[in-house]
Amino acid sequence: MDYQIPYDGCIGEFTWCEKLKREIPENWELVRLEDVTKHLTDGEHGSVSEDPKGQYWLYGASNIRDGQVVPSPSDKRIDYEAYQRIHKRTGTSKGDILLTTAGTIGNIAYLQEDLDSIEFLRSVTTIRPDPDRITAEYLYQYLLAATPQIHALKKASGQNSIALSDLRKMPILLPPLEAQKLYSDKSVPFYHRIEIVRRENQELQKMYHLLIDILIFD
């Protein structure tokens, strides 16, 4: 399995990695995703009743696009109890990475802030990096670069989907934590700009749903 993760700028010795059949920097590790995450679970599996007046939302894979969580006209409203029940299990929060693992495979978003009123169907998996092993920024970029390998995990029959047990075993090339932190320090301003756009989209979403409420219920 050839992971096209660039490290041409690395200084120092390289060592042969038998699993990848290639050389990697001597101080890098090949680990499993489960070795560098504190939490990895998918969203709601069961049927959730829609509440036309609900102030909470149940999103799916179609809402993860271009690195962001994006609203759509078909979003499902749910009540507070349903939201709390789902959130208690997923715990989706700031710093998590969202990966679509059913239907649409491989779309990724990095949460810069808590979503507050949004939870997800089983087609979206929440991944929480372990900060003692890996930075969120490095893992996010790694998963983006490893899209072909993510697609290779999907099941051969039925709906396109990835078993969480297979995802947890996905190999990750891990540089030293200090090197990851240097990368994160340089990339954080970029992610902040993305977050500004997400917040603007969120305000537009609130305005959109307010207008819908006025049209339907007034």
Side-chain angles (χ1 to χ4, degrees), residues 1-51:
M1 191 173 288
D2 187 13
Y3 278 63
Q4 301 298 323
I5 309 300
Y7 42 70
D8 292 342
C10 291
I11 299 174
E13 299 295 324
F14 282 69
T15 186
W16 181 257
C17 176
E18 183 62 28
K19 186 174 180 62
L20 296 182
K21 303 297 182 184
R22 66 186 296 179
E23 289 188 332
I24 63 173
E26 191 173 45
N27 56 351
W28 289 34
E29 301 177 69
L30 184 65
V31 299
R32 293 180 171 186
L33 182 58
E34 64 184 354
D35 297 328
V36 293
T37 54
K38 300 185 76 173
H39 181 67
L40 192 157
T41 189
D42 54 9
E44 175 63 21
H45 283 236
S47 176
V48 180
S49 298
E50 186 165 10
D51 182 350

Short mmCIF file of all heavy atoms in Angstrom, two decimals, residues 1-51:
data_model
loop_
_atom_site.label_atom_id
_atom_site.label_comp_id
_atom_site.label_asym_id
_atom_site.label_seq_id
_atom_site.Cartn_x
_atom_site.Cartn_y
_atom_site.Cartn_z
N MET A 1 0.86 -1.19 0.00
CA MET A 1 0.00 0.00 0.00
C MET A 1 0.89 1.24 0.00
O MET A 1 1.67 1.44 0.94
CB MET A 1 -0.91 -0.02 1.23
CG MET A 1 -2.02 1.03 1.20
SD MET A 1 -3.16 0.82 2.58
CE MET A 1 -4.01 -0.66 2.08
N ASP A 2 0.83 2.05 -1.02
CA ASP A 2 1.75 3.16 -1.20
C ASP A 2 1.11 4.45 -0.72
O ASP A 2 0.24 5.01 -1.36
CB ASP A 2 2.14 3.28 -2.68
CG ASP A 2 3.22 4.33 -2.89
OD1 ASP A 2 3.82 4.77 -1.89
OD2 ASP A 2 3.44 4.70 -4.06
N TYR A 3 1.54 4.94 0.43
CA TYR A 3 0.99 6.17 0.98
C TYR A 3 1.79 7.35 0.45
O TYR A 3 2.97 7.51 0.73
CB TYR A 3 1.05 6.14 2.52
CG TYR A 3 -0.09 5.38 3.12
CD1 TYR A 3 -0.25 4.01 2.87
CD2 TYR A 3 -1.03 6.01 3.90
CE1 TYR A 3 -1.32 3.31 3.40
CE2 TYR A 3 -2.10 5.32 4.44
CZ TYR A 3 -2.23 3.97 4.19
OH TYR A 3 -3.29 3.28 4.71
N GLN A 4 1.14 8.16 -0.35
CA GLN A 4 1.82 9.29 -0.97
C GLN A 4 1.86 10.49 -0.02
O GLN A 4 1.29 11.53 -0.27
CB GLN A 4 1.12 9.65 -2.27
CG GLN A 4 1.07 8.52 -3.28
CD GLN A 4 2.47 8.10 -3.73
OE1 GLN A 4 3.35 8.93 -3.87
NE2 GLN A 4 2.67 6.82 -3.93
N ILE A 5 2.53 10.33 1.10
CA ILE A 5 2.69 11.41 2.06
C ILE A 5 4.08 11.99 1.87
O ILE A 5 5.08 11.30 2.07
CB ILE A 5 2.53 10.91 3.51
CG1 ILE A 5 1.24 10.11 3.66
CG2 ILE A 5 2.59 12.07 4.49
CD1 ILE A 5 -0.01 10.90 3.35
N PRO A 6 4.20 13.25 1.43
CA PRO A 6 5.51 13.81 1.10
C PRO A 6 6.37 14.06 2.33
O PRO A 6 5.89 14.56 3.34
CB PRO A 6 5.16 15.13 0.40
CG PRO A 6 3.83 15.51 0.95
CD PRO A 6 3.11 14.22 1.21
N TYR A 7 7.63 13.69 2.26
CA TYR A 7 8.58 14.07 3.30
C TYR A 7 9.95 14.30 2.68
O TYR A 7 10.99 14.03 3.28
CB TYR A 7 8.66 13.02 4.42
CG TYR A 7 8.66 11.57 3.98
CD1 TYR A 7 9.76 11.01 3.31
CD2 TYR A 7 7.56 10.78 4.24
CE1 TYR A 7 9.74 9.68 2.92
CE2 TYR A 7 7.54 9.45 3.84
CZ TYR A 7 8.63 8.91 3.19
OH TYR A 7 8.62 7.59 2.80
N ASP A 8 9.94 14.83 1.44
CA ASP A 8 11.20 15.07 0.74
C ASP A 8 12.08 16.07 1.47
O ASP A 8 13.29 16.08 1.29
CB ASP A 8 10.92 15.57 -0.69
CG ASP A 8 10.28 14.50 -1.56
OD1 ASP A 8 10.37 13.32 -1.18
OD2 ASP A 8 9.71 14.84 -2.60
N GLY A 9 11.45 16.94 2.28
CA GLY A 9 12.24 17.95 2.97
C GLY A 9 12.84 17.48 4.27
O GLY A 9 13.49 18.25 4.97
N CYS A 10 12.62 16.22 4.64
CA CYS A 10 13.14 15.71 5.90
C CYS A 10 14.67 15.64 5.86
O CYS A 10 15.27 15.26 4.86
CB CYS A 10 12.57 14.32 6.20
SG CYS A 10 10.82 14.35 6.58
N ILE A 11 15.28 16.00 6.98
CA ILE A 11 16.73 15.94 7.11
C ILE A 11 17.08 14.79 8.04
O ILE A 11 16.47 14.61 9.08
CB ILE A 11 17.28 17.27 7.67
CG1 ILE A 11 16.93 18.42 6.71
CG2 ILE A 11 18.78 17.20 7.89
CD1 ILE A 11 17.30 19.78 7.23
N GLY A 12 18.09 14.01 7.68
CA GLY A 12 18.51 12.91 8.54
C GLY A 12 18.45 11.58 7.83
O GLY A 12 18.29 11.50 6.60
N GLU A 13 18.57 10.53 8.62
CA GLU A 13 18.62 9.19 8.07
C GLU A 13 17.22 8.66 7.76
O GLU A 13 16.23 9.06 8.38
CB GLU A 13 19.31 8.26 9.08
CG GLU A 13 20.75 8.65 9.40
CD GLU A 13 21.65 8.54 8.19
OE1 GLU A 13 21.44 7.61 7.38
OE2 GLU A 13 22.56 9.38 8.04
N PHE A 14 17.19 7.73 6.79
CA PHE A 14 15.96 7.03 6.45
C PHE A 14 16.13 5.55 6.77
O PHE A 14 17.25 5.03 6.81
CB PHE A 14 15.63 7.21 4.96
CG PHE A 14 15.05 8.54 4.62
CD1 PHE A 14 15.82 9.70 4.70
CD2 PHE A 14 13.72 8.66 4.24
CE1 PHE A 14 15.28 10.93 4.39
CE2 PHE A 14 13.18 9.90 3.93
CZ PHE A 14 13.97 11.04 4.01
N THR A 15 14.99 4.91 7.04
CA THR A 15 15.03 3.48 7.34
C THR A 15 13.97 2.77 6.50
O THR A 15 12.95 3.38 6.14
CB THR A 15 14.79 3.23 8.84
OG1 THR A 15 14.97 1.84 9.13
CG2 THR A 15 13.38 3.64 9.25
N TRP A 16 14.19 1.50 6.22
CA TRP A 16 13.26 0.74 5.40
C TRP A 16 12.05 0.31 6.21
O TRP A 16 12.17 -0.22 7.32
CB TRP A 16 13.95 -0.49 4.82
CG TRP A 16 13.06 -1.32 3.93
CD1 TRP A 16 12.44 -2.50 4.25
CD2 TRP A 16 12.69 -1.04 2.59
NE1 TRP A 16 11.71 -2.96 3.19
CE2 TRP A 16 11.83 -2.08 2.15
CE3 TRP A 16 12.98 0.00 1.71
CZ2 TRP A 16 11.28 -2.10 0.88
CZ3 TRP A 16 12.43 -0.03 0.44
CH2 TRP A 16 11.59 -1.08 0.03
N CYS A 17 10.84 0.57 5.65
CA CYS A 17 9.59 0.12 6.28
C CYS A 17 9.06 -1.05 5.47
O CYS A 17 8.63 -0.86 4.32
CB CYS A 17 8.58 1.26 6.33
SG CYS A 17 6.97 0.78 7.00
N GLU A 18 9.10 -2.23 6.04
CA GLU A 18 8.71 -3.43 5.32
C GLU A 18 7.23 -3.40 4.93
O GLU A 18 6.86 -3.84 3.84
CB GLU A 18 9.00 -4.67 6.17
CG GLU A 18 8.70 -5.99 5.49
CD GLU A 18 9.55 -6.21 4.23
OE1 GLU A 18 10.67 -5.69 4.15
OE2 GLU A 18 9.06 -6.91 3.32
N LYS A 19 6.38 -2.87 5.81
CA LYS A 19 4.94 -2.85 5.52
C LYS A 19 4.63 -1.96 4.32
O LYS A 19 3.78 -2.30 3.49
CB LYS A 19 4.16 -2.37 6.74
CG LYS A 19 2.65 -2.47 6.57
CD LYS A 19 1.92 -2.14 7.84
CE LYS A 19 0.41 -2.25 7.68
NZ LYS A 19 -0.04 -3.59 7.34
N LEU A 20 5.31 -0.82 4.22
CA LEU A 20 5.06 0.11 3.12
C LEU A 20 5.94 -0.17 1.91
O LEU A 20 5.71 0.40 0.83
CB LEU A 20 5.29 1.55 3.58
CG LEU A 20 4.36 2.09 4.67
CD1 LEU A 20 4.68 3.54 4.97
CD2 LEU A 20 2.90 1.93 4.26
N LYS A 21 6.96 -1.03 2.10
CA LYS A 21 7.90 -1.34 1.02
C LYS A 21 8.57 -0.07 0.49
O LYS A 21 8.73 0.12 -0.71
CB LYS A 21 7.18 -2.08 -0.13
CG LYS A 21 6.48 -3.37 0.27
CD LYS A 21 7.46 -4.40 0.79
CE LYS A 21 6.75 -5.70 1.14
NZ LYS A 21 7.68 -6.70 1.74
N ARG A 22 8.98 0.77 1.42
CA ARG A 22 9.67 2.01 1.05
C ARG A 22 10.42 2.55 2.25
O ARG A 22 10.18 2.11 3.39
CB ARG A 22 8.67 3.05 0.54
CG ARG A 22 7.71 3.53 1.61
CD ARG A 22 6.64 4.45 1.06
NE ARG A 22 7.19 5.67 0.53
CZ ARG A 22 6.45 6.64 -0.02
NH1 ARG A 22 5.13 6.47 -0.14
NH2 ARG A 22 6.99 7.73 -0.46
N GLU A 23 11.31 3.49 2.01
CA GLU A 23 12.02 4.12 3.11
C GLU A 23 11.17 5.24 3.71
O GLU A 23 10.44 5.93 3.00
CB GLU A 23 13.35 4.70 2.62
CG GLU A 23 14.39 3.64 2.29
CD GLU A 23 15.74 4.25 2.00
OE1 GLU A 23 15.78 5.41 1.53
OE2 GLU A 23 16.76 3.58 2.25
N ILE A 24 11.29 5.39 5.02
CA ILE A 24 10.65 6.50 5.72
C ILE A 24 11.70 7.14 6.63
O ILE A 24 12.72 6.50 6.95
CB ILE A 24 9.43 6.03 6.55
CG1 ILE A 24 9.84 5.07 7.66
CG2 ILE A 24 8.37 5.40 5.65
CD1 ILE A 24 8.70 4.70 8.61
N PRO A 25 11.50 8.39 7.03
CA PRO A 25 12.45 9.01 7.96
C PRO A 25 12.64 8.16 9.21
O PRO A 25 11.68 7.60 9.74
CB PRO A 25 11.80 10.37 8.28
CG PRO A 25 10.99 10.67 7.07
CD PRO A 25 10.45 9.34 6.60
N GLU A 26 13.87 8.11 9.69
CA GLU A 26 14.23 7.18 10.77
C GLU A 26 13.43 7.41 12.05
O GLU A 26 13.13 6.49 12.79
CB GLU A 26 15.73 7.30 11.06
CG GLU A 26 16.27 6.22 11.97
CD GLU A 26 17.78 6.31 12.08
OE1 GLU A 26 18.30 7.42 12.27
OE2 GLU A 26 18.44 5.26 11.98
N ASN A 27 13.08 8.66 12.31
CA ASN A 27 12.37 8.97 13.57
C ASN A 27 10.85 9.02 13.40
O ASN A 27 10.14 9.50 14.27
CB ASN A 27 12.88 10.28 14.16
CG ASN A 27 12.77 11.44 13.19
OD1 ASN A 27 12.47 11.25 12.01
ND2 ASN A 27 13.04 12.64 13.67
N TRP A 28 10.33 8.54 12.25
CA TRP A 28 8.90 8.42 12.05
C TRP A 28 8.44 7.01 12.44
O TRP A 28 9.22 6.06 12.39
CB TRP A 28 8.52 8.68 10.60
CG TRP A 28 8.65 10.11 10.16
CD1 TRP A 28 9.58 11.02 10.58
CD2 TRP A 28 7.82 10.78 9.22
NE1 TRP A 28 9.39 12.21 9.94
CE2 TRP A 28 8.32 12.10 9.09
CE3 TRP A 28 6.72 10.39 8.46
CZ2 TRP A 28 7.74 13.04 8.24
CZ3 TRP A 28 6.14 11.32 7.61
CH2 TRP A 28 6.64 12.64 7.51
N GLU A 29 7.16 6.90 12.81
CA GLU A 29 6.57 5.60 13.15
C GLU A 29 5.44 5.27 12.18
O GLU A 29 4.81 6.16 11.63
CB GLU A 29 5.97 5.61 14.56
CG GLU A 29 6.88 5.93 15.69
CD GLU A 29 6.11 5.98 16.99
OE1 GLU A 29 5.65 4.92 17.45
OE2 GLU A 29 5.92 7.09 17.53
N LEU A 30 5.19 4.00 12.01
CA LEU A 30 3.98 3.54 11.32
C LEU A 30 3.07 2.95 12.38
O LEU A 30 3.39 1.93 13.00
CB LEU A 30 4.32 2.50 10.25
CG LEU A 30 3.12 2.03 9.41
CD1 LEU A 30 2.55 3.18 8.59
CD2 LEU A 30 3.50 0.87 8.50
N VAL A 31 1.93 3.61 12.62
CA VAL A 31 1.01 3.19 13.68
C VAL A 31 -0.38 2.99 13.07
O VAL A 31 -0.62 3.27 11.90
CB VAL A 31 0.95 4.25 14.80
CG1 VAL A 31 2.32 4.44 15.43
CG2 VAL A 31 0.44 5.60 14.26
N ARG A 32 -1.30 2.52 13.89
CA ARG A 32 -2.70 2.43 13.48
C ARG A 32 -3.44 3.69 13.91
O ARG A 32 -3.06 4.34 14.89
CB ARG A 32 -3.36 1.19 14.11
CG ARG A 32 -2.83 -0.13 13.59
CD ARG A 32 -3.55 -1.26 14.28
NE ARG A 32 -3.24 -2.55 13.68
CZ ARG A 32 -3.83 -3.70 14.01
NH1 ARG A 32 -4.78 -3.69 14.94
NH2 ARG A 32 -3.50 -4.82 13.42
N LEU A 33 -4.52 3.98 13.20
CA LEU A 33 -5.32 5.14 13.58
C LEU A 33 -5.79 5.04 15.02
O LEU A 33 -5.81 6.04 15.75
CB LEU A 33 -6.52 5.27 12.62
CG LEU A 33 -7.45 6.47 12.85
CD1 LEU A 33 -6.70 7.79 12.74
CD2 LEU A 33 -8.62 6.43 11.85
N GLU A 34 -6.16 3.85 15.46
CA GLU A 34 -6.64 3.67 16.83
C GLU A 34 -5.56 3.96 17.86
O GLU A 34 -5.87 4.25 19.02
CB GLU A 34 -7.18 2.25 17.02
CG GLU A 34 -6.15 1.17 16.88
CD GLU A 34 -6.73 -0.23 17.00
OE1 GLU A 34 -7.94 -0.33 17.30
OE2 GLU A 34 -6.00 -1.21 16.79
N ASP A 35 -4.28 3.92 17.45
CA ASP A 35 -3.18 4.19 18.38
C ASP A 35 -3.02 5.68 18.67
O ASP A 35 -2.35 6.05 19.64
CB ASP A 35 -1.86 3.66 17.81
CG ASP A 35 -1.86 2.15 17.63
OD1 ASP A 35 -2.52 1.47 18.44
OD2 ASP A 35 -1.19 1.67 16.69
N VAL A 36 -3.59 6.53 17.81
CA VAL A 36 -3.38 7.97 17.96
C VAL A 36 -4.70 8.73 18.13
O VAL A 36 -4.74 9.95 17.97
CB VAL A 36 -2.60 8.53 16.75
CG1 VAL A 36 -1.18 7.98 16.75
CG2 VAL A 36 -3.30 8.24 15.44
N THR A 37 -5.77 8.01 18.45
CA THR A 37 -7.07 8.65 18.68
C THR A 37 -7.62 8.27 20.04
O THR A 37 -7.37 7.17 20.55
CB THR A 37 -8.09 8.26 17.59
OG1 THR A 37 -8.17 6.83 17.50
CG2 THR A 37 -7.68 8.82 16.24
N LYS A 38 -8.39 9.18 20.63
CA LYS A 38 -9.01 8.93 21.92
C LYS A 38 -10.46 8.48 21.77
O LYS A 38 -11.05 7.92 22.69
CB LYS A 38 -8.96 10.19 22.78
CG LYS A 38 -7.55 10.69 23.05
CD LYS A 38 -7.53 11.86 24.01
CE LYS A 38 -7.77 11.40 25.44
NZ LYS A 38 -7.58 12.50 26.42
N HIS A 39 -11.02 8.74 20.58
CA HIS A 39 -12.45 8.46 20.37
C HIS A 39 -12.69 8.32 18.88
O HIS A 39 -12.24 9.15 18.09
CB HIS A 39 -13.28 9.60 20.97
CG HIS A 39 -14.76 9.43 20.84
ND1 HIS A 39 -15.46 8.45 21.49
CD2 HIS A 39 -15.69 10.14 20.14
CE1 HIS A 39 -16.75 8.56 21.20
NE2 HIS A 39 -16.91 9.57 20.38
N LEU A 40 -13.38 7.26 18.48
CA LEU A 40 -13.72 7.05 17.07
C LEU A 40 -15.04 6.30 17.01
O LEU A 40 -15.12 5.14 17.42
CB LEU A 40 -12.60 6.27 16.37
CG LEU A 40 -12.64 6.19 14.84
CD1 LEU A 40 -11.24 5.91 14.29
CD2 LEU A 40 -13.59 5.12 14.34
N THR A 41 -16.08 6.99 16.55
CA THR A 41 -17.40 6.36 16.48
C THR A 41 -18.22 7.02 15.39
O THR A 41 -17.97 8.16 15.01
CB THR A 41 -18.13 6.46 17.83
OG1 THR A 41 -19.31 5.65 17.80
CG2 THR A 41 -18.54 7.90 18.14
N ASP A 42 -19.19 6.27 14.86
CA ASP A 42 -20.07 6.86 13.86
C ASP A 42 -21.33 7.41 14.50
O ASP A 42 -21.53 7.30 15.71
CB ASP A 42 -20.39 5.86 12.74
CG ASP A 42 -20.96 4.55 13.27
OD1 ASP A 42 -21.26 4.48 14.48
OD2 ASP A 42 -21.12 3.60 12.48
N GLY A 43 -22.20 8.00 13.68
CA GLY A 43 -23.39 8.67 14.19
C GLY A 43 -24.57 7.73 14.39
O GLY A 43 -24.41 6.51 14.52
N GLU A 44 -25.75 8.30 14.38
CA GLU A 44 -26.97 7.58 14.72
C GLU A 44 -27.31 6.50 13.70
O GLU A 44 -27.38 6.75 12.50
CB GLU A 44 -28.13 8.59 14.81
CG GLU A 44 -29.49 7.98 15.04
CD GLU A 44 -29.59 7.26 16.38
OE1 GLU A 44 -28.78 7.54 17.29
OE2 GLU A 44 -30.48 6.41 16.51
N HIS A 45 -27.57 5.28 14.20
CA HIS A 45 -27.93 4.16 13.34
C HIS A 45 -29.44 4.01 13.20
O HIS A 45 -29.92 3.52 12.18
CB HIS A 45 -27.34 2.86 13.91
CG HIS A 45 -25.88 2.69 13.66
ND1 HIS A 45 -25.35 1.60 13.02
CD2 HIS A 45 -24.83 3.49 13.95
CE1 HIS A 45 -24.04 1.72 12.93
NE2 HIS A 45 -23.70 2.86 13.50
N GLY A 46 -30.17 4.38 14.22
CA GLY A 46 -31.61 4.15 14.22
C GLY A 46 -32.39 5.26 13.54
O GLY A 46 -31.85 6.25 13.07
N SER A 47 -33.70 5.05 13.49
CA SER A 47 -34.60 6.04 12.91
C SER A 47 -34.90 7.12 13.96
O SER A 47 -35.17 6.81 15.12
CB SER A 47 -35.91 5.36 12.47
OG SER A 47 -36.82 6.31 11.99
N VAL A 48 -34.83 8.36 13.53
CA VAL A 48 -35.09 9.49 14.43
C VAL A 48 -36.27 10.28 13.88
O VAL A 48 -36.28 10.68 12.71
CB VAL A 48 -33.85 10.41 14.55
CG1 VAL A 48 -34.15 11.57 15.48
CG2 VAL A 48 -32.65 9.62 15.04
N SER A 49 -37.25 10.50 14.72
CA SER A 49 -38.44 11.24 14.29
C SER A 49 -38.09 12.70 14.03
O SER A 49 -37.32 13.31 14.76
CB SER A 49 -39.52 11.18 15.37
OG SER A 49 -39.94 9.85 15.58
N GLU A 50 -38.67 13.22 12.96
CA GLU A 50 -38.45 14.63 12.63
C GLU A 50 -39.40 15.50 13.44
O GLU A 50 -40.56 15.15 13.67
CB GLU A 50 -38.66 14.87 11.15
CG GLU A 50 -38.32 16.28 10.70
CD GLU A 50 -38.20 16.41 9.19
OE1 GLU A 50 -38.56 15.45 8.49
OE2 GLU A 50 -37.72 17.45 8.73
N ASP A 51 -38.89 16.62 13.92
CA ASP A 51 -39.69 17.60 14.64
C ASP A 51 -39.70 18.90 13.82
O ASP A 51 -38.69 19.60 13.77
CB ASP A 51 -39.09 17.87 16.02
CG ASP A 51 -39.92 18.84 16.84
OD1 ASP A 51 -40.84 19.46 16.29
OD2 ASP A 51 -39.62 19.00 18.04
#
